[in-house]
Amino acid sequence: EAIASLSWLPDSPNMLAVGTSMGWVSIFDIRCANNNNNNISSTFTTEMSLMAHPGARNRKVKGIRPDPFHSHFIATYSDTPQESVKIWDLRKGVNTSAKSKLIPFSTISPHGGSDGQYNSQSSVIDVAWSTSRENVLAIVTSTHKSVLFYSTAKSSSDSNISGGVGSGNGNGNSNNNNSSSGSSTSINAITAKADEVTRTPYHSIPVTGSIKSISWQKPPALQKGRSSTSTSTGDNGNAVVDNTN
């Protein structure tokens, strides 16, 4: 079973999250090592395992993204068409003595883009948590030329994103604004219930070309209301920085 992705857990420097080509995510403790074995599952102690992306065919875990604000959350994604981004609460993990049937804390299906036009060939290209705003996840797909912003908040108290990438208007209505100008906008973050899939982003930024990767810039301490996303396009190798307010 091939390793497809790796990520250190930010608040647990000895814990390594590993995604496989078969859809599994395992958390290993590198302090407990058997140096006589080159197989990671036999070399290190497995703290927990979960089936992140099950399916009739193998759905490799292309990326693991720890939440910078909540260390017990990780987001995982696969490059299989139509596969969702899933957020997992590691506090609810089970020991490897039994196969994990952990349910995702939140599920996001971004394949309709900002306009709801679903594409059966759409797959997730990259995922990045905001480094300045809690519960904000940016997602890019293979078929939509936009950076899509989703809220992962679960309760009404967490649903409003003030400043940064939009702010909640408290009226329960979704309002997309594709402008990246410096003016402040009022955008209501769409929150997911435990048993629902979030499909509509609360904000999006159009870009030119196909997006290959995305990264957030952590704003200076005196600019807490600003955040930036950097996207790279494969057509001409350009990197674009968008200021979102």
Side-chain angles (χ1 to χ4, degrees), residues 3-135:
I3 293 175
S5 54
L6 297 167
S7 180
W8 295 101
L9 300 187
D11 287 350
S12 303
N14 296 307
M15 299 295 178
L16 180 66
V18 177
T20 76
S21 60
M22 301 292 287
W24 284 93
V25 172
S26 297
I27 309 297
F28 294 96
D29 188 342
I30 66 169
R31 291 172 295 184
C32 304
N34 175 9
N35 295 324
N36 297 322
N37 196 313
N38 292 325
N39 187 303
I40 188 171
S41 61
S42 300
T43 301
F44 302 116
T45 299
T46 306
E47 294 297 313
M48 65 167 290
S49 291
L50 60 92
M51 172 48 71
H53 297 279
R57 296 183 178 181
N58 299 343
R59 295 179 179 179
K60 73 177 181 181
V61 181
K62 185 180 179 181
I64 302 172
R65 301 288 187 262
D67 185 337
F69 289 96
H70 307 284
S71 60
H72 51 277
F73 285 134
I74 61 171
T76 65
Y77 65 98
S78 172
D79 58 2
T80 301
Q82 290 292 297
E83 181 66 3
S84 299
V85 176
K86 299 178 182 179
I87 293 99
W88 304 91
D89 187 344
L90 298 181
R91 297 172 300 181
K92 299 181 179 180
V94 297
N95 192 279
T96 54
S97 59
K99 294 294 185 181
S100 172
K101 295 183 179 180
L102 188 65
I103 298 174
F105 173 82
S106 181
T107 302
I108 299 171
S109 178
H111 304 295
S114 59
D115 54 7
Q117 299 298 314
Y118 280 83
N119 188 311
S120 62
Q121 298 303 311
S122 174
S123 60
V124 176
I125 296 297
D126 204 359
V127 171
W129 290 97
S130 170
T131 56
S132 60
R133 289 288 176 262
E134 294 184 62
N135 305 316

